[in-house]
Amino acid sequence: MTAAPVNILAIGHEASRTGAPILLWDYLRWLVRNNHARVRCLLGNSGPLLDEFETLCDTRVNIENADSSFVGRVARRMQLGDALNQSRLAKWVNRAPLPDLIYANTVASIPLLQRVQNTFPTPRPTVIHVHELESVLREYDRVADIAPTLAQAAVIVAASTAVKNALVTELSITENLIEVIPEWLCGDFATPTQSSSERTAIRQTIRSQLGIDQEAKICLAAGTHCWRKGPEFIPMIAAATQHRCPDMHFVWIGRETSDRTVDQMKLDAERLGVNGRVHFLGEVANAKHYFDAADFFALTSREDPCPLVMLEAAAHKLPIVCFEKSGGAPDFVRDDAGQTVPYLDIPAFADALADLYHHSSKADAYGAAGYHRVDQDHRPERNCQALLETMQSVLSNPERQS
C-alpha cells in the first residue's frame, strides 16, 4: 500500500546554482514527481534557480539582495524582517494544510527556521540537512546560536561522515541524532553523455571556444569563488606544472564573488606567466559540457562536505586530485579514484596532476573507480529514497519528534 503524500515545508537559504540549493531543488522535484509529498518552499534569498523552484511548488522568497559575498549573505540572514514581516510569514506558513514536517536544508537556513517555528502554536517536527563543515558551523553558531536548534531537531542529516564528525566536535551534537546520507548526482548530471561521438564533438567545441589546441588536455575545476573552494590555487598549480605539462589547460567554472573575482584570479595567472593556460570563465550555462570536455579534475577546496562537482567529475570518469583534511573528498577518492595530497601542498598537487598527465592508464583506472563509486553510492533514486524514509520514520515515531 502506497503511503499518503506528506505535507512538507522546505526551507532553503537561497536559490543560487550551487551545491546545497541544487540538491534541495532536486530532492523536492523527486518528491513531487513520485507523489511522495505536497511541498511548499521558503527561501532566504533569490537566485538563478528561483524560476525552477517556483515552477515546482509554491515558493516564497524572504529576502532579496544583490550582495552575493559570504559575509553579505550572513548579514542578510540576520536581518530576516526586511522583506517579509512576521505576521505575513505566519500567515503563509500556517496556511492549510499545515506542514507535517519542516525540512531545513543547510545550517544557513536555520535563522529562518527559527522564525518559522515561532509562528506555530506547537513546533513542527524538523529534519535539518547539514552540508557545512567547521568554518561555516563556527560562523553560524557565532551569529545565530544554531547549536540549540540543531539539538532540538528530530533528525540531523549529514552530507558525509566528515560533516557528522564536525557536528559532534564543533557543536557537541549527540551522535545518535545524526544520520549520514551522502549527496547525489542532480539534474542532467545524473545521466552523463553516453555517445562517444557526442562527447568528441563537445570536446572539440569547448576547445575551440577556449582557443586552445584540439589535442590539449583540460584540467577542470569548479565552484563559487570563495576561501573554502580555493580558486586562487589554480594559477599556482598551473605554474608548477607548466614545464612538465605544457599543453595542460586549467579551466575554472563557477560564480565569482566580491571576495575573489575573476579579474583577481586572472591577474595572478598573468603575474605567474600562465595566463595563456588558465581560464576563469565565471558561471556558465552548459556546465555539463565542460565535464564532457575535461581530462582531469582538480578539487582545490580547503573545506567541502561532499562536493557535487566531485560527484559530477566521477560520473564523467575524470580522475580527481584533492587535499587531505578537506572534508568528504578524501573519503570518496580513497586510493583508487584519484590522488589525495597533503593539505594545501601545491607542489604535491602539481606532482599528482603531472603523474596523471604522463600515465594515461593510471588516470583511466582512477576514472573508472570513481565512476563505479558514484554509481553505487550517489545515485538520486537511492539517496532521495533514504532521505524520504528518514522523514517517514520521524512522522511515524512520536518519540523522534521534537
Side-chain angles (χ1 to χ4, degrees), residues 6-267:
V6 298
N7 296 302
I8 294 176
L9 173 60
I11 301 176
H13 69 290
E14 62 186 21
S16 61
R17 288 193 186 277
T18 55
I22 290 172
L23 189 130
L24 172 62
W25 171 80
D26 197 72
Y27 179 57
L28 298 184
R29 182 179 64 160
W30 181 85
L31 288 174
V32 171
R33 281 183 173 179
N34 291 282
N35 198 34
H36 292 310
R38 291 179 289 265
V39 174
R40 286 185 289 156
C41 186
L42 180 64
L43 298 171
N45 198 35
S46 186
L49 274 179
L50 181 59
D51 286 346
E52 283 90 333
F53 276 105
E54 291 180 332
T55 299
L56 180 66
C57 64
D58 182 6
T59 299
R60 293 291 183 271
V61 178
N62 195 64
I63 302 173
E64 295 192 20
N65 189 298
D67 182 3
S68 62
S69 71
F70 176 73
V71 173
R73 283 182 280 156
V74 171
R76 288 199 309 277
R77 293 174 194 129
M78 299 308 102
Q79 300 167 1
L80 294 169
D82 290 349
L84 190 64
N85 63 38
Q86 190 71 5
S87 63
R88 290 173 58 207
L89 177 63
K91 183 177 179 180
W92 186 75
V93 300
N94 281 275
R95 193 177 65 201
L98 287 176
D100 301 307
L101 179 142
I102 298 175
Y103 170 53
N105 183 55
T106 76
V107 298
S109 70
I110 287 180
L112 188 50
L113 167 64
Q114 292 165 339
R115 280 192 62 208
V116 166
Q117 284 287 28
N118 288 336
T119 71
F120 295 112
T122 308
R124 315 307 291 175
T126 301
V127 173
I128 302 178
H129 201 153
V130 180
H131 309 268
E132 295 91 344
L133 289 167
E134 287 87 348
S135 71
V136 180
L137 293 179
R138 291 174 186 178
E139 177 69 7
Y140 273 95
D141 198 44
R142 181 180 65 82
V143 298
D145 193 23
I146 62 173
T149 303
L150 284 163
Q152 291 165 8
V155 176
I156 298 171
V157 175
S160 65
T161 301
V163 172
K164 177 179 180 178
N165 293 340
L167 286 166
V168 172
T169 58
E170 293 292 327
L171 301 179
S172 301
I173 301 298
T174 304
E175 282 195 50
N176 61 14
L177 187 62
I178 306 169
E179 294 186 15
V180 176
I181 299 176
E183 312 281 49
W184 58 84
L185 290 169
C186 296
D188 291 344
F189 282 98
T191 54
T193 306
Q194 297 299 322
S195 165
S196 59
S197 60
E198 185 180 357
R199 262 189 106 165
T200 297
I202 292 171
R203 287 173 66 87
Q204 292 172 347
T205 298
I206 294 297
R207 282 163 173 75
S208 296
Q209 291 173 351
L210 294 171
I212 66 177
D213 190 86
Q214 288 295 321
E215 301 304 315
K217 300 293 185 182
I218 290 179
C219 179
L220 184 65
T224 301
H225 289 208
C226 63
W227 174 84
R228 291 183 299 111
K229 304 293 184 178
E232 67 273 19
F233 298 138
I234 290 295
M236 303 178 200
I237 296 166
T241 57
Q242 62 182 336
H243 298 302
R244 291 174 288 177
C245 315
D247 68 339
M248 182 187 288
H249 286 252
F250 293 80
V251 177
W252 186 290
I253 57 174
R255 185 183 65 186
E256 68 176 325
T257 67
S258 58
D259 291 333
R260 282 165 173 76
T261 67
V262 167
D263 286 343
Q264 290 169 340
M265 301 300 101
K266 288 181 175 179
L267 183 58

Side-chain angles (χ1 to χ4, degrees), residues 294-314:
D295 301 282
F296 319 104
F297 192 79
L299 187 62
T300 56
S301 296
R302 292 176 170 91
E303 185 176 283
D304 233 332
C306 183
L308 292 188
V309 293
M310 174 188 72
L311 304 183
E312 292 158 1

